[in-house]
Amino acid sequence: MSDSLKKYLAEFVGTFILVVIGVGAAVAGAGYVGTAVAFGMAIVILAYSVGRISGGHVNPAVSLAMAIRGDISWKEFCGYVCAQICGAILGSATIGAIYGNFENTGANYAEAGSLATQSTGMAYFLAFVMELVLTFIFVLAVLGVTADDKFSQVGGLVIGLALTGVHLVGDGITNTSVNPARSLSAALFAIAGGNTTPIKEIWIFILAPLCGGALAALCWKLFSAKKSA
């Protein structure tokens, strides 16, 4: 098997692990705190298993940031994203089959939580801003901890804690996406369960995380730029 295929397979398996553990905890009724911890633990698990093969992005927003920074090629970026989406779909299918409810596999909503009382337009705007900011924070942490080999031993823990943090903030607002692959798979399975709202709002949970990831990469490049003479 070529190195590229190994990386794509690792991203597929890693994203599957993320969805099964993180979404599985949410569907099982772990609550906001329990779900946040589960997502963080999933990152730690995959970081120290398949992460050493592909980098353990398991998120198109992270892969986009890595491509902008030059860590992976744009061809690899496309392969990573396809593998992540497929892994997320398998993860959602597994959770739906286990709990017998394909409508509820961790879909994201703009008009949920504290945004439920807002007008549709305002809810969309606030959800977009929230997802962009949370993804920016998360991806910036990823970029920082992967920039230097001296952090390699603790990288998975740091990234896991960062994901836990953003989930603690966002779970009561949008169910926290910060990951277009996970959101897309959940929205597709929601359709199978007769719920079309997530797919109608999916543009928010694809575009906002990608914008947040790109902004984090540009910010990191600005921070790491060498001083001009």
Side-chain angles (χ1 to χ4, degrees):
M1 183 183 292
S2 69
D3 287 344
S4 292
L5 286 178
K6 286 180 181 179
K7 290 179 180 179
Y8 301 153
L9 181 58
E11 287 297 305
F12 172 85
V13 173
T15 311
F16 169 78
I17 292 172
L18 179 72
V19 172
V20 168
I21 294 180
V23 175
V27 176
Y32 294 148
V33 175
T35 299
V37 171
F39 270 103
M41 290 176 64
I43 286 290
V44 174
I45 291 169
L46 66 90
Y48 294 108
S49 55
V50 298
R52 62 185 180 82
I53 300 170
S54 64
H57 300 180
V58 299
N59 183 337
V62 173
S63 295
L64 177 61
M66 293 298 183
I68 292 173
R69 191 167 72 172
D71 290 19
I72 62 173
S73 68
W74 288 105
K75 179 180 178 181
E76 286 180 314
F77 167 73
C78 294
Y80 271 47
V81 171
C82 289
Q84 290 156 4
I85 292 173
C86 291
I89 289 173
L90 180 60
S92 293
T94 301
I95 293 301
I98 290 172
Y99 290 97
N101 181 5
F102 289 101
E103 181 181 352
N104 183 18
T105 58
N108 301 102
Y109 298 89
E111 296 180 272
S114 61
L115 301 182
T117 59
Q118 302 288 341
S119 66
T120 297
M122 181 57 68
Y124 284 5
F125 172 75
L126 293 175
F128 189 97
V129 171
M130 174 60 74
E131 289 292 331
L132 188 153
V133 170
L134 292 181
T135 308
F136 171 81
I137 294 170
F138 173 62
V139 175
L140 194 62
V142 174
L143 292 172
V145 81
T146 58
D148 196 320
D149 289 341
K150 68 182 180 182
F151 297 127
S152 60
Q153 297 301 314
V154 298
L157 293 173
V158 173
I159 296 170
L161 287 172
L163 187 59
T164 298
V166 300
H167 269 274
L168 286 172
V169 174
D171 277 1
I173 302 174
T174 61
N175 281 347
T176 310
S177 170
V178 303
N179 189 328
R182 190 191 72 74
S183 294
L184 178 60
S185 67
L188 292 174
F189 277 94
I191 294 175
N195 183 2
T196 60
T197 299
I199 201 66
K200 292 176 181 177
E201 299 178 349
I202 192 62
W203 63 273
I204 297 172
F205 303 104
I206 291 177
L207 187 58
L210 290 177
C211 289
L215 185 61
L218 295 175
C219 187
W220 180 257
K221 292 185 77 170
L222 179 64
F223 290 158
S224 59
K226 294 181 179 179
K227 278 187 178 181
S228 56

